[in-house]
Amino acid sequence: MNQKIYGLAQELGRAARAAGVKIATAESCTAGGIAYAITEVAGSSEWLDRGYVTYSVRAKHEMLGVEPELVQREGVVSEAVAAAMARGAVAKSGADCSAAVTGIAGPGGAEPGRPVGTVCFGWGLREQGHIVVRTETRHFDGGRESVRLQTVEAAIAGLIALLKGRGER
């Protein structure tokens, strides 16, 4: 396990316990890597509810409620799809917050305007009966493994920021 990612997972655990929340992940290009990193931390069952690996459009629809029309209109690698994944992960689980990723890890799969290394993130947070979602698109350099590791790192860092910002609202 990458020491930087492990350190972030430990920090996420402290933040989740302090906030009293459970987390869900919704992953496409990382294929469960975020949940794996989180579960490397002993005691993570206290704050990780579940992880969804939704590699196909069908899985995104069946497990998270992402509408196929949204994917067709926006593209599977889009902030709109990442937002729907994040929202669905919270809505369909016992979690209070989520991290969702969809991207192009490579070496193939590039599209016009979406080169290899493009990853869209969604972070969802249940607040006062609503699920508030923040999205971001990042572009990572390197091969498939590097893109996936950078994605895991950024997703966990985003969850930490989400939880730390929760008390500031």
Side-chain angles (χ1 to χ4, degrees):
M1 168 64 48
N2 174 310
Q3 285 303 314
K4 184 172 184 179
I5 292 173
Y6 182 72
L8 285 169
Q10 289 178 309
E11 184 178 349
L12 176 60
R14 289 188 294 273
R17 280 192 300 275
V21 300
K22 292 267 190 177
I23 296 167
T25 64
E27 305 182 58
S28 186
C29 62
T30 51
I34 300 165
Y36 175 81
I38 289 171
T39 61
E40 282 293 289
V41 177
S44 56
S45 60
E46 294 175 34
W47 43 277
L48 178 67
D49 181 62
R50 69 188 73 188
Y52 298 94
V53 177
T54 56
Y55 225 65
S56 69
V57 173
R58 181 177 174 185
K60 287 173 181 62
H61 176 66
E62 290 175 357
M63 297 172 78
L64 300 172
V66 176
E67 292 299 329
E69 296 80 17
L70 177 68
V71 175
Q72 186 175 16
R73 186 175 64 248
E74 301 291 332
V76 72
V77 179
S78 65
E79 288 188 17
V81 169
M85 291 171 66
R87 191 172 289 107
V90 173
K92 295 184 177 287
S93 72
D96 306 288
C97 62
S98 66
V101 295
T102 180
I104 306 166
E111 301 173 358
R114 293 181 180 114
V116 168
T118 302
V119 179
C120 297
F121 295 84
W123 293 276
L125 179 64
R126 189 184 311 271
E127 286 191 324
Q128 301 168 350
H130 299 74
I131 301 171
V132 179
V133 177
R134 182 176 77 80
T135 61
E136 180 180 334
T137 299
R138 306 268 306 267
H139 300 277
F140 299 116
D141 292 325
R144 184 175 182 82
E145 181 179 356
S146 177
V147 168
R148 288 165 58 128
L149 287 172
Q150 290 172 83
T151 301
V152 169
E153 182 180 321
I156 294 172
L159 277 170
I160 293 166
L162 181 76
L163 293 178
K164 287 187 174 180
R166 185 172 188 239
E168 299 167 10
R169 294 172 204 242

